[in-house]
Amino acid sequence: MRPATPHEVMPAPSLAGAREREHSPWLGRSGSPSEALRRYQAIERAMQALSPLHASTAVSPATAAGAFLDWAMHLAASPAKQWELWEVSVQNAVRWVQATCAGPADNRWCIDPLPQDKRFDDPEWRERPFAWYAQALLLQQAWWQHATTGVPGVTHHHERMVDFAARQWLDMVSPSNSVIANPVVLRRTIEEGGANLARGALHAMGDAWREWSGLPPYGTDRFKLGVDVAATPGRVVLRNALIELIQYTPTTPTVQAEPVLIVPAWIMKYYVLDLEPHNSMVKFLVDAGFTVYAISWKNPQPEDRDLGLDDYHRLGVRAALDAIDEVAPSQGVHAVGYCLGGTLLAMVAALLGREKSPALKTMTLLAAQVDFTDPGELSLFIDESQVAWFESQMARQGVLTKAQMRATFQMLRSRDLVWSYRLSTYLMGERTPVNALMAWNADGTHLPYRMHSEYLHALYLDNALAHGEYRLGGVPISLSDIRTPIFSVGAVQDHVAPWRSVFKLHQFTAADQTFVLTAGGHNVGIVNPPGQAKSSYRLRHWKHVDRLLTPDEWLEVTESVQGSWWTPWAEWLKRHSSGPVAPPAQRPSLGPAPGTYVFLK
């Protein structure tokens, strides 16, 4: 007897089932959600809007509960891990008792803070009993580090979430946050008779009032757009539904033939690269003899909910390149992309490479990722459950609000952005002077529903760009099509785009590349003008015929250099330019810089 073919084994489709699907109240004839289903989805979102959880947390309850249960159940099933934690707890208890029983002259600690932990730097923390409080906290941190990591069977994502949650709680109960347990605060309170706490209470009420009223944080409103910041002379030469394109006024008699186009991220106002004159990247480039253009993204409003990544490509980067080409045809552009703007620029460069277009002369990526395998601590807030949680919020609002984004970034760096601020402002009664970067950071933006959903699904969850599966403008793109020289910058302390993740671009394109690792974080490392005493960087060129180095190998063979990476970058841009020419013609002005979109709240 011959074997049955697959078609003979599979049952014939049920005509009744087909009729059921055809007349289902949930699906239209094309299989898309029917009007009835859309109504129920609207009801579901309205019910979710009544939940206090949506307003009070940026973390999906399902993800948080799943992470905790995963950790707790596997810990309960691992006697070896339990024994290890018991041994560590006993050792820590003995170390703490020995420290408390040591002689008064012995102020050595049984455990030292991590290098980046500055909470206990003041010499008064070496005095008793305050040294005991600090050491108890540090020993608890060490124990919880053991407890939340290395539990057999726990997924990596859940392990990181539980470890992150433990650190959040420990930072909250730190003795540095207390009036009585913090010797610096206690001394100030005694010296001033509590006046510092009275001032702190007024500061807290003022901050609460500003938050409730939708006013900018204290001190940030003294920086006026177009006057104190975003003040480099220029004019708007293009405006569409998504961008204003600013062309800056030359300050040199000749300029390099190829202009520079800056593509900032739309999760930030563009003027982070045009702060005050002494730390403005735009002014630095103009004074170095470049014609500079910058995209100023519109701050999306709820009615812009349906703007997607294709719109940011078409109305953003491509529209800007077309406008520049009208006044400087066939010159090619030095394109510069920052953060999410850099990711979009890499997509556009891949598409232009596929089209054999000469539009880009070089590409500079600043703290921009193309591979999201390990996107840093932001991945704590990105999984299927978290994305569905965000989408539910954005579907009701039309956008992800700047307050929601701020809450996420504050959680990532709560020790610096929350507890240190409350210590100095509310307990010490001091207002920290606000600088231009702090004022810019408080001037947040929204993200449209569709774009943010596409971004999270395609890049973070599916990593489609790195896998060569992303479609831009309906066309599949591959990073391997990029042939233009690349200058890529990562920052040592970047929590948003970890430098090892930024470094991975080497693996995806055969273009010649220069990678720079700069001191600082996601913003300070990029806004890094010459003349700063503590600035340093590492730089190495790589050609496509060279062997690929791992990040650690690269770090080992690349020496640190004092100074700002802006200087070698400007030299690199000039080496890839055709030489000086007279300043190009300008498009008709639609108004002076910084334009109108940057003022949208």
Side-chain angles (χ1 to χ4, degrees):
M1 181 181 295
R2 66 175 179 85
T5 66
H7 293 289
E8 293 170 329
V9 172
M10 293 178 61
S14 164
L15 183 60
R19 291 198 183 106
E20 275 185 0
R21 288 192 296 273
E22 184 178 346
H23 295 93
S24 168
W26 310 114
L27 297 178
R29 292 185 179 276
S30 64
S32 60
S34 69
E35 185 61 30
L37 178 56
R38 282 193 287 268
R39 290 197 193 101
Y40 274 90
Q41 289 173 335
I43 293 172
E44 176 183 320
R45 289 172 186 141
M47 293 174 63
Q48 290 173 339
L50 300 176
S51 170
L53 288 174
H54 270 82
S56 62
T57 178
V59 180
S60 163
T63 291
F68 175 77
L69 287 175
D70 187 11
W71 168 76
M73 293 178 69
H74 283 93
L75 179 59
S78 177
K81 186 66 177 180
Q82 295 171 32
W83 179 255
E84 176 193 342
L85 295 179
W86 169 253
E87 286 185 324
V88 172
S89 63
V90 171
Q91 292 169 3
N92 286 351
V94 170
R95 293 167 67 186
W96 189 80
V97 169
Q98 289 175 340
T100 59
C101 295
D106 188 358
N107 62 356
R108 290 175 300 175
W109 282 17
C110 63
I111 181 172
D112 291 319
L114 295 172
Q116 66 269 25
D117 188 351
K118 307 300 182 183
R119 291 174 295 179
F120 309 117
D121 282 357
D122 194 284
E124 292 191 54
W125 280 106
R126 296 286 165 174
E127 303 296 329
R128 302 176 181 185
F130 308 107
W132 301 341
Y133 305 153
Q135 290 174 90
L137 177 79
L138 295 174
L139 288 169
Q140 279 295 306
Q141 283 185 173
W143 188 88
W144 276 102
Q145 175 70 20
H146 281 284
T148 56
T149 58
V151 179
V154 179
T155 66
H156 179 63
H157 180 58
H158 286 166
E159 179 181 88
R160 294 186 65 193
M161 287 196 68
V162 175
D163 179 56
F164 177 80
R167 284 187 280 120
Q168 294 290 309
W169 281 102
L170 288 167
D171 286 345
M172 184 174 65
V173 301
S174 169
S176 59
N177 301 329
S178 168
V179 176
I180 298 175
N182 187 325
V184 182
V185 176
L186 183 60
R187 176 172 52 81
R188 174 69 62 86
T189 303
I190 294 172
E191 289 175 350
E192 297 192 17
N196 58 309
L197 299 181
R199 290 195 307 272
L202 292 176
H203 294 336
M205 288 188 289
D207 287 350
W209 167 255
R210 285 176 169 271
E211 181 75 21
W212 184 80
S213 304
L215 298 173
Y218 173 85
T220 60
D221 46 5
R222 76 175 181 87
F223 291 91
K224 305 299 182 184
L225 284 169
V227 179
D228 304 299
V229 293
T232 303
R235 57 184 185 169
V236 177
V237 296
L238 170 68
R239 180 181 295 118
N240 60 32
L242 192 55
I243 71 165
E244 289 180 330
L245 181 65
I246 301 171
Q247 182 177 4
Y248 292 94
T249 305
T251 60
T252 54
T254 59
V255 296
Q256 295 297 322
E258 291 80 9
V260 174
L261 171 63
I262 296 176
V263 184
W266 49 91
I267 63 171
M268 58 178 73
K269 296 289 182 69
Y270 86 92
Y271 67 90
V272 65
L273 300 178
D274 186 25
L275 291 171
E276 297 169 293
H278 71 275
N279 59 4
S280 167
M281 179 182 287
V282 169
K283 187 176 187 305
F284 170 81
L285 289 169
V286 171
D287 291 346
F290 291 94
T291 300
V292 179
Y293 295 83
I295 290 175
S296 175
W297 300 100
K298 179 184 177 183
N299 188 10
Q301 306 301 308
E303 60 268 23
D304 300 313
R305 60 184 299 129
D306 292 325
L307 289 172
L309 278 172
D310 273 343
D311 296 304
Y312 280 81
H313 154 237
R314 180 176 52 86
L315 297 175
V317 180
R318 290 301 281 262
L321 290 173
D322 291 343
I324 294 171
D325 188 63
E326 290 181 13
V327 295
S330 304
Q331 290 294 340
V333 170
H334 296 302
V336 183
Y338 185 12
C339 186
L340 182 54
T343 305
L344 176 64
L345 179 58
M347 295 178 181
V348 176
L351 182 58
L352 292 173
R354 174 190 173 98
E355 297 171 354
K356 308 297 183 185
S357 168
L360 299 185
K361 191 66 178 285
T362 67
M363 180 172 68
T364 299
L365 299 182
L366 311 177
Q369 301 173 91
V370 297
D371 184 329
F372 292 80
T373 304
D374 186 14
E377 289 194 331
L378 270 179
S379 63
L380 294 168
F381 301 95
I382 302 174
D383 57 26
E384 294 287 356
S385 176
Q386 299 273 43
V387 171
W389 182 255
F390 284 135
E391 287 179 333
S392 178
Q393 295 174 322
M394 291 187 297
R396 299 192 319 274
Q397 302 163 174
V399 294
L400 186 71
T401 67
K402 57 186 178 183
Q404 289 169 313
M405 281 195 290
R406 184 171 64 246
T408 299
F409 286 111
Q410 283 182 338
M411 286 182 68
L412 289 177
R413 297 185 58 203
S414 62
R415 185 180 299 172
D416 298 326
L417 300 180
V418 177
W419 301 116
S420 291
Y421 174 81
R422 295 187 178 187
L423 169 62
S424 62
T425 308
Y426 302 157
L427 299 186
M428 299 294 286
E430 301 171 349
R431 281 288 193 188
T432 303
V434 176
N435 59 36
L437 188 60
M438 294 165 65
W440 162 82
N441 193 52
D443 189 10
T445 60
H446 306 144
L447 298 180
Y449 167 42
R450 179 180 173 187
M451 183 287 304
H452 197 45
S453 178
E454 291 175 349
Y455 176 68
L456 293 177
H457 277 287
L459 299 183
Y460 273 93
L461 294 182
D462 298 337
N463 205 15
L465 180 59
H467 294 158
E469 299 169 352
Y470 192 82
R471 303 177 73 90
L472 192 62
V475 177
I477 58 173
S478 172
L479 295 170
S480 62
D481 288 328
I482 299 176
R483 291 292 186 270
T484 184
I486 297 171
F487 193 99
S488 182
V489 181
V492 174
Q493 297 173 342
D494 196 335
H495 296 274
V496 179
W499 78 266
R500 284 178 168 82
S501 182
V502 173
F503 185 85
K504 291 181 179 180
L505 178 63
H506 288 69
Q507 304 172 10
F508 298 102
T509 173
D512 291 349
Q513 297 187 47
T514 300
F515 185 78
V516 169
L517 180 61
T518 178
H522 190 69
N523 297 322
V524 175
I526 302 303
V527 183
N528 188 245
Q532 296 187 9
K534 296 182 179 180
S535 292
S536 64
Y537 64 91
R538 300 170 188 262
L539 182 150
R540 179 171 292 273
H541 301 288
W542 177 85
K543 295 185 178 296
H544 70 277
V545 294
D546 297 337
R547 185 180 72 84
L548 283 174
L549 299 177
T550 67
D552 290 333
E553 287 176 327
W554 187 95
L555 196 63
E556 183 178 351
V557 299
T558 309
E559 295 183 357
S560 178
V561 179
Q562 294 300 308
S564 167
W565 63 267
W566 287 14
T567 303
W569 175 48
E571 295 170 354
W572 181 86
L573 289 174
K574 288 181 179 179
R575 286 199 303 272
H576 289 86
S577 299
S578 303
V581 297
Q586 294 190 339
R587 290 169 57 94
S589 174
L590 302 178
T596 59
Y597 282 175
V598 73
F599 290 95
L600 292 177
K601 299 298 182 182

